Amino acid sequence: MMTNTATAVRFHDQQPPVASMSLRDELLQSLRSTPKTASPKFLYDRRGSELFDQICVQPEYYPTRTEEAILRDAADDIANVVGRDATLIELGSGASRKVRLLLEAVRPMSYLGIDIPP
């Protein structure tokens, strides 16, 4: 007997867009706030993605190197817990560089990288 199961996924936007505000006005308002902020959505064009990739390889920008080191150290343990029948889903996958460490260790049945395309 085959069982048909469905997994419900719900998304909740913690900061829904302000409908009455233009993108320009939204960016200006966020840059005038304290501390200054800018939503990542303003960087998700081709040039913004290229700039972010360049930032990630700068010596001062440690998060990417730190995440890669953690994944490298923990990949086998994660693979043992997850098992081979897993579906690996990566939110904010970008170029999917870091996840390759997990893909090699886990060898999941399927992989889904989710990101905003440039």
Side-chain angles (χ1 to χ4, degrees), residues 90-106:
E90 180 186 23
L91 301 175
S93 60
S96 298
R97 284 189 292 260
K98 291 178 283 191
V99 78
R100 291 176 187 162
L101 296 164
L102 282 181
L103 291 171
E104 290 175 13
V106 174

Side-chain angles (χ1 to χ4, degrees), residues 25-102:
D25 290 341
E26 185 180 345
L27 179 59
L28 288 174
Q29 179 183 7
S30 65
L31 291 175
R32 290 179 182 131
S33 67
T34 303
K36 294 182 183 327
T37 62
S39 171
K41 72 182 175 185
F42 294 112
L43 304 174
Y44 280 104
D45 62 2
R46 184 166 307 283
R47 183 65 181 139
S49 294
E50 290 169 357
L51 288 171
F52 183 71
D53 286 342
Q54 291 175 16
I55 289 168
C56 288
V57 298
Q58 298 304 308
E60 299 83 5
Y61 190 81
Y62 64 89
T64 300
R65 288 188 310 279
T66 303
E67 291 168 351
E68 288 174 347
I70 291 168
L71 285 174
R72 201 174 300 106
D73 291 345
D76 290 335
D77 292 334
I78 293 170
N80 289 331
V81 170
V82 171
R84 301 262 183 220
D85 294 333
T87 296
L88 185 58
I89 300 173
E90 180 186 23
L91 301 175
S93 60
S96 298
R97 284 189 292 260
K98 291 178 283 191
V99 78
R100 291 176 187 162
L101 296 164
L102 282 181

